[in-house]
Amino acid sequence: MQKNIMTLERHFLEQQRKFPLARGEFTKLLTEIGFAAKVISREVNRAGLGNILGDAGVVNIQGEEVKKLDLMAQKMLVSTMDHLGILCGMASEEEDTFIEIPDSFPTGSYALNMDPLDGSSNIDVNVSIGTIFSIHRKISDCPRGDAADCLQAGSKQVAAGYVLYGSSTMLIYTSGHGVYGFTLDPCLGEFLLSHEAIRIPGRGRYYSINEGYADRWFPWTRNYINHAKKPPEAGGRGMSLRYVGSLVADFHRNLFTGGIFIYPGDTRADKGKLRLLFEAAPLAFVAEQAGGRATDGRVNIMDIQPENLHQRTPLIIGSADDVDDALRFIREETNETSHVR
Ligand code: P6P
């Protein structure tokens, strides 16, 4: 029998006691995210048994085919969160505009940004996927909240994290006091604390990038990847490629083993593909709290002030020394040319 079973809810209540001004809203918000994650996990894990795989027949603002499970996750999160009286609104990768709290429900002091189910291309083939969440305090003067409450820099996040639906379902989060990991015990139906004070190694074995786009890369990207692969002069092996195609899965592996994930800007899209609010900023908060780094190639992801909800950004994230190596190649190219991303 595990000695001290620490559930998600008990953990948040204990954390709340450290902050006397905490009114329990924050604890309730994180606990409800955990509940939604349990329901999504159940649906993802039995997806092949029900009529919930495949395309939903709609295309999102990103121009991507929406999967049925994407819609399920989006609806589950919104319906779990919208009536709590804790949020003043939400923004989602799957929704074009700001999600207002219905007039019939009270509003609260927080705003939630989310990617309900990240890794859509992997959903139907049983490869790990994830949910990403990011929480801000309400800042707008609008009585019931508006998009400005979601359009905040990553450095203003009060909490962020993700759920990985993999060989086990894990919830990883930070509220600015270290990174904690919880593993879902399907028998209990509870997330149990499994990792405290997670730290990302300073350097890792793996680099994650879609090498299929090599012909579009700016020179710095090619030069860095060639450097990463090359065995060090002192002997040993170069880095190995690990790329799942689900950001949450690639980030999670690198968080524990060390390594770097790169979705760069390139000659076709200088801002890359990933979304600042729903993917880059929340993972940047986790990475920095674990001792890692996250940059767009010029500035820290956490310092970028978003201008629109679906803003994209290049993302270089992971072990501090590996990210610093990549930045060195960017600086070399910046000194030679005007464009770089
Ligand atoms: P590509 C999934 O659609 C996603 O947003 C991330 O989870 C993932 O890292 C990336 O796109 C994969 O994109 O262009 O390599 O298929």
Side-chain angles (χ1 to χ4, degrees):
M1 180 68 178
Q2 263 176 295
K3 291 195 299 289
N4 54 340
I5 290 186
M6 176 65 77
T7 63
L8 196 65
E9 192 159 12
R10 189 174 145 200
H11 166 82
F12 290 140
L13 285 170
E14 292 200 355
Q15 292 298 312
Q16 180 183 313
R17 287 193 200 108
K18 296 177 187 174
F19 310 103
L21 295 180
R23 294 172 301 172
E25 275 191 337
F26 186 62
T27 299
K28 178 70 174 162
L29 178 54
L30 287 166
T31 305
E32 289 302 319
I33 288 175
F35 171 76
K38 285 191 271 189
V39 177
I40 295 169
S41 176
R42 182 192 65 188
E43 292 307 308
V44 165
N45 288 335
R46 65 188 193 90
L49 302 175
N51 177 30
I52 195 158
L53 289 178
D55 295 339
V58 293
V59 174
N60 65 17
I61 189 173
Q62 328 291 346
E64 295 165 338
E65 195 63 51
V66 176
K67 302 285 186 180
K68 291 177 187 171
L69 275 172
D70 280 322
L71 287 186
M72 176 279 299
Q74 162 81 3
K75 287 175 183 166
M76 175 44 59
L77 280 159
V78 171
S79 62
T80 302
M81 313 308 285
D82 65 0
H83 61 283
L84 299 174
I86 296 175
L87 293 179
C88 64
M90 294 174 256
S92 167
E93 186 189 307
E94 297 302 336
E95 195 69 47
D96 298 359
T97 58
F98 176 68
I99 303 168
E100 295 182 351
I101 300 300
D103 291 342
S104 53
F105 296 144
T107 58
S109 322
Y110 296 97
L112 173 66
N113 292 334
M114 59 187 164
D115 183 353
L117 209 55
D118 175 75
S120 299
S121 58
N122 285 323
I123 285 179
D124 292 349
V125 291
N126 207 21
V127 172
S128 298
I129 51 183
T131 294
I132 308 174
F133 59 90
S134 165
I135 300 169
H136 286 284
R137 279 195 187 79
K138 180 179 185 317
I139 56 168
S140 72
D141 298 331
C142 178
R144 291 183 62 82
D146 70 11
D149 297 307
C150 293
L151 280 168
Q152 298 186 54
S155 55
K156 302 293 187 190
Q157 292 174 103
V158 291
Y162 59 87
V163 182
L164 175 64
Y165 310 103
S167 50
S168 66
T169 293
M170 281 193 75
L171 186 149
I172 305 284
Y173 96 100
T174 184
S175 60
H177 307 281
V179 179
Y180 292 85
F182 295 80
T183 301
L184 183 62
D185 180 331
C187 301
L188 292 176
E190 289 283 1
F191 279 106
L192 303 181
L193 183 65
S194 51
H195 299 79
E196 287 187 79
I198 298 171
R199 302 293 292 172
I200 187 170
R203 192 174 284 285
R205 294 248 323 103
Y206 302 127
Y207 70 94
S208 305
I209 192 169
N210 187 333
E211 294 222 15
Y213 303 150
D215 61 330
R216 316 172 186 167
W217 290 346
F218 293 135
W220 78 261
T221 309
R222 189 173 304 106
N223 295 336
Y224 170 70
I225 294 299
N226 289 339
H227 160 80
K229 292 177 181 176
K230 197 187 309 176
E233 284 170 10
R237 294 161 54 184
M239 296 175 83
S240 297
L241 172 62
R242 289 288 187 280
Y243 192 73
V244 175
S246 287
L247 170 60
V248 171
D250 283 316
F251 176 82
H252 183 80
R253 181 200 51 250
N254 293 350
L255 179 67
F256 283 87
T257 64
I260 187 170
F261 173 97
I262 303 175
Y263 206 108
D266 60 30
T267 53
R268 278 202 200 173
D270 72 345
K271 294 281 189 182
K273 169 184 182 182
L274 301 179
R275 294 72 173 186
L276 174 61
L277 285 182
F278 310 122
E279 294 166 309
L283 296 186
F285 193 12
V286 174
E288 288 199 0
Q289 282 289 308
R293 289 226 210 302
T295 173
D296 70 354
R298 288 178 184 273
V299 298
N300 289 340
I301 293 291
M302 296 275 274
D303 296 336
I304 300 174
Q305 174 57 45
E307 290 160 12
N308 66 74
L309 291 178
H310 294 276
Q311 179 169 329
R312 297 174 191 262
T313 178
L315 179 62
I316 305 164
I317 188 169
S319 294
D321 295 347
D322 290 325
V323 172
D324 286 347
D325 285 352
L327 286 171
R328 198 172 68 245
F329 284 84
I330 292 174
R331 276 194 294 274
E332 284 167 11
E333 181 176 304
T334 308
N335 295 336
E336 292 153 20
T337 60
S338 56
H339 81 267
V340 96
R341 269 299 194 203

